[in-house]
Amino acid sequence: MALSKPIEIRNTGLLAAYWRLTHCQIDHAAGIAEFRLHGWPSRDARQAGKAPLPGLAYRARRPSSSACPTCMR
């Protein structure tokens, strides 16, 4: 399954519209989730075996208990 959303890659002018989640790591104890997306200009480019554009890395952190007193710990 892929995501379809046009996003410019790091202010380069390159536009990726077809995305694939290529890495996901979750540390429940630390409350951290990391994931990486790789994009292609189109689905056709991906299916043709073209190399992906530079990936985008994301890191999400659970809010601190003081910021969100009702969140699960």
Side-chain angles (χ1 to χ4, degrees):
M1 184 173 113
L3 306 170
S4 181
K5 169 130 179 97
I7 299 174
E8 183 180 0
I9 307 293
R10 296 186 189 116
N11 203 29
T12 61
L14 298 173
L15 192 66
Y18 187 81
W19 295 90
R20 181 171 173 246
L21 180 66
T22 57
H23 169 82
C24 180
Q25 182 174 337
I26 298 174
D27 182 337
H28 292 281
I32 297 171
E34 297 177 335
F35 57 97
R36 178 173 291 277
L37 295 170
H38 278 91
W40 289 261
S42 67
R43 180 177 180 224
D44 291 340
R46 163 93 167 95
Q47 289 182 336
K50 302 296 182 186
L53 297 169
L56 299 176
Y58 292 93
R59 183 176 195 161
R61 176 169 236 126
R62 170 181 56 219
S64 67
S65 58
S66 63
C68 183
T70 60
C71 292
M72 293 176 35
R73 295 188 178 109

